Amino acid sequence: MSSSLRGRAAIAGVGNTKRWNAPGRTPFDQLQEAVVLALEDCGLGLKDVDGLFCAISSSGLPVLNVAERLGLKVRHADGTMVGGASFLFHLQSAVAALENGLCDVALICYGSNQLSAGGRLVSMPDPQPYETPYRARYPISSYAFAAARHMYEYGTTRENLADVALAARAWANLNPDAFARGPLAREEILASRMVSDPLTRADCCLVTDGGAALVITRADRAKDLKSQPIYVLGTGVAVSHRQIAAMPDLTTTAAVESGRRAYAMAGVKPTDIDHVMVYDAFTITTLLFLEDLGFCAKGDGGAFVSSGATAPGGGLPVNTNGGGLSCNHPGMYGLFTVIEAVEQLRGRCGERQVEGAELALAHANGGVLSSQATAILGTATTL
Amino acid sequence: MSTDSRFDGPGPDDVWRDALRQERFLIQRCRNCERHRFPPALVCAACGGSDLVWVEASGRGVVYASTVVREREGSYNVALIDLAEGARLMSRVDGLAPEAVRIGMSVTARIETAPEPILLFHATDGGVL
Ligand SMILES: [Zn+2]
């Protein structure tokens, strides 16, 4: 029955503060600005919002905090917290809520001051007594295990990982709003300080501030609003573990399942997709998700990226904003994968625009490869 | 009282910690599907059954993945170990350089009691693969 949701809802408005280093602003300040921008983008107001979806690293009660600040009297809310993929879980939940009349205007929003607040990863209390005594660096050591396994099983190299960071930077250099721009050499990445073998500092995403928001309505309403609607053709979510030791196979993520569900709902296959956004928390995640979402065979991710396929000028434009590695990464980056997909499908991306992009895939990850969520978005021609 | 007697007594995390303090390494086995699980829980993640029994772990395992955490104060190993019984856990392989811990290496559990009880591993045959 899931295919009945195909194209029933649309992203009507997007908001992105692009304030990657903004001292003096709280996470809620970033979030509120993004919400104002998203509502202005589609010509709706706060009074129209009756469904609220949010998660914030620093707040255990995000729905209450956000509703109070925005003065929202919502009749549906979802504060699901599964890390950086939360907002794509929210998207699936919003599509279902809209379809069933639980709300008419859904708002998905996020804000962070991770960089200006001190540059540390902010996370809610979540004790892990079977891991804490071993002092693994959270979260990088978990991703290091996955990278080590990928190298062991498939011969992936540190050069392959470096090429993920290089491709991200090449895209960022075409995006005036990216935080990390400028020349970057493979040797520079390989010489970067090792943090948790085999991952170096250069394999890690940025630490930035930022705020983002989406306004979603039913498709029939979205087409009468101010900006070009981008249709939600498919969504899929999956969870597999909390602690990395409980992940069944460290080289195959639950993106296989979330992707399968999203493709099935959308009725498309990987070769149909024009533009791809995958959550690059660490260089290894780009490889894992390209493989698990069917853009290359399992184990071939390194060779695929090193061939230049995902960089500007390649056959598959991936992470065209510069990704978490070079554009921005305010703690939980998931919403930004959807925002860049919408911008590309609307043709608003200037120098980095993917010509004729009609169908995009946005994929987000949460925890330590723990939660996976995939969204397939399209222009009106794909309906 | 109308509580269900099957779940009487201390919870699984408590049982495990108490055993560790007594230098015993316990894991749970499912009476329904015979699979082992770690960390402790009330149900079997493999079959959904809730009839778990404590057994002494063999202590034998193989390194599934390994990393070296580089800190200013020095580097140390963190590893994922696949136990012979089938469960996987996070631990540290001691007794050799952190970089020398390799995927596929045979390891054996040992419990250190001070300052806090902790489950560690060492290379079974001195680290030779
Ligand atoms: Zn069982």
Side-chain angles (χ1 to χ4, degrees):
Chain A
M1 287 304 288
S2 59
S3 61
S4 66
L5 288 175
R6 184 189 196 277
R8 298 288 298 170
I11 298 169
V14 295
N16 179 357
T17 66
K18 304 174 189 173
R19 294 185 195 276
W20 311 135
N21 185 7
R25 282 163 199 270
T26 68
F28 293 112
D29 295 337
Q30 289 270 6
L31 178 148
Q32 290 173 89
E33 178 177 343
V35 168
V36 170
L37 296 175
L39 286 166
E40 285 175 359
D41 184 37
C42 60
L44 291 173
L46 283 167
K47 293 283 166 275
D48 298 309
V49 175
D50 60 356
L52 175 60
F53 303 76
C54 55
I56 275 202
S57 317
S58 53
S59 171
L61 299 169
V63 167
L64 301 183
N65 280 292
V66 170
E68 179 192 299
R69 279 170 177 78
L70 297 174
L72 300 177
K73 299 279 183 278
V74 297
R75 58 194 180 96
H76 185 72
D78 180 350
T80 296
M81 176 56 157
V82 289
S86 298
F87 316 97
L88 277 78
F89 278 65
H90 296 161
L91 179 63
Q92 171 164 294
S93 171
V95 167
L98 287 163
E99 178 70 11
N100 288 294
L102 298 177
C103 61
D104 295 322
V105 175
L107 175 64
I108 305 177
C109 46
Y110 177 67
S112 168
N113 64 347
Q114 194 192 9
L115 173 60
S116 58
R120 299 289 297 186
L121 181 74
V122 179
S123 50
M124 289 192 290
D126 187 41
Q128 301 297 339
Y130 299 95
E131 295 198 342
T132 306
Y134 305 104
R135 295 181 296 138
R137 282 277 296 268
Y138 188 86
I140 186 172
S141 295
S142 296
Y143 291 90
F145 286 136
R149 278 307 297 193
H150 208 274
M151 290 174 166
Y152 176 80
E153 291 182 34
Y154 302 113
T156 302
T157 62
R158 286 195 53 217
E159 284 74 13
N160 294 143
L161 297 181
D163 290 342
V164 173
L166 280 181
R169 179 58 61 88
W171 281 114
N173 286 339
L174 301 177
N175 178 8
D177 293 318
F179 188 60
R181 287 162 54 86
L184 182 66
R186 207 191 201 194
E187 297 67 40
E188 213 177 313
I189 300 171
L190 292 172
S192 177
R193 183 172 62 81
M194 194 64 78
V195 180
S196 187
D197 300 27
L199 298 182
T200 69
R201 213 170 170 283
D203 290 297
C204 304
C205 62
L206 301 168
V207 174
T208 71
D209 300 342
L214 303 177
V215 177
I216 330 269
T217 67
R218 284 183 287 278
D220 52 0
R221 181 163 188 192
K223 68 180 181 346
D224 299 326
L225 294 173
K226 198 170 120 194
S227 291
Q228 180 190 350
I230 297 301
Y231 297 90
V232 182
L233 303 178
T235 61
V237 307
V239 295
S240 73
H241 59 276
R242 173 66 188 96
Q243 310 169 73
I244 195 65
M247 183 170 176
D249 173 352
L250 264 69
T251 62
T252 300
T253 73
V256 171
E257 296 159 54
S258 68
R260 189 190 303 129
R261 287 166 191 147
Y263 286 128
M265 190 192 295
V268 301
K269 51 190 188 307
T271 49
D272 297 327
I273 305 288
D274 301 317
H275 170 245
V276 176
M277 293 295 297
V278 290
Y279 193 143
D280 52 343
F282 298 91
T283 49
I284 183 64
T285 62
T286 299
L287 303 188
L288 292 172
F289 300 145
L290 288 174
E291 294 170 2
D292 291 343
L293 295 166
F295 295 108
C296 62
K298 180 48 69 183
D300 288 353
F304 185 61
V305 167
S306 289
S307 76
T310 64
L316 184 73
V318 173
N319 295 351
T320 50
N321 59 346
L325 288 164
S326 274
C327 181
N328 74 92
H329 192 281
M332 298 196 292
Y333 166 79
L335 201 38
F336 292 90
T337 66
V338 176
I339 287 188
E340 175 69 4
V342 170
E343 299 286 11
Q344 286 286 355
L345 294 176
R346 285 175 169 178
R348 300 202 294 205
C349 287
E351 236 193 309
R352 70 182 191 281
Q353 180 63 44
V354 176
E355 280 313 312
E358 304 280 5
L359 198 59
L361 180 146
H363 180 82
N365 160 69
V368 287
L369 298 168
S370 312
S371 59
Q372 304 296 334
T374 311
I376 295 171
L377 308 174
T379 61
T381 62
T382 63
L383 281 174
Chain B
M1 293 288 278
S2 58
T3 55
D4 190 321
S5 62
R6 290 176 302 161
F7 304 107
D8 282 353
D13 290 299
D14 253 40
V15 172
W16 192 80
R17 234 182 353 258
D18 280 351
L20 193 68
R21 230 172 263 131
Q22 297 158 34
E23 297 181 57
R24 296 171 67 206
F25 173 20
L26 300 186
I27 56 172
Q28 292 168 300
R29 183 169 51 83
C30 172
R31 278 205 173 107
N32 183 46
C33 75
E34 301 296 324
R35 301 270 288 270
H36 291 80
R37 81 158 293 160
F38 189 89
L42 273 184
V43 298
C44 170
C47 77
S50 57
D51 191 3
L52 302 177
V53 59
W54 291 100
V55 296
E56 300 274 352
S58 68
R60 292 194 315 275
V62 170
V63 175
Y64 175 74
S66 180
T67 188
V68 181
V69 178
R70 312 271 175 176
E71 300 279 3
R72 262 188 212 89
E73 310 76 46
S75 301
Y76 53 89
N77 172 264
V78 184
L80 299 180
I81 311 293
D82 278 345
L83 298 176
E85 289 85 352
R88 181 178 300 153
L89 47 75
M90 181 181 284
S91 188
R92 181 171 75 240
V93 180
D94 272 353
L96 66 172
E99 301 85 355
V101 180
R102 301 273 174 220
I103 289 174
M105 185 177 268
S106 292
V107 292
T108 304
R110 96 193 142 75
I111 294 165
E112 248 176 40
T113 49
E116 287 294 314
I118 187 170
L119 179 70
L120 299 174
F121 284 80
H122 62 271
T124 303
D125 46 10
V128 184
L129 280 181

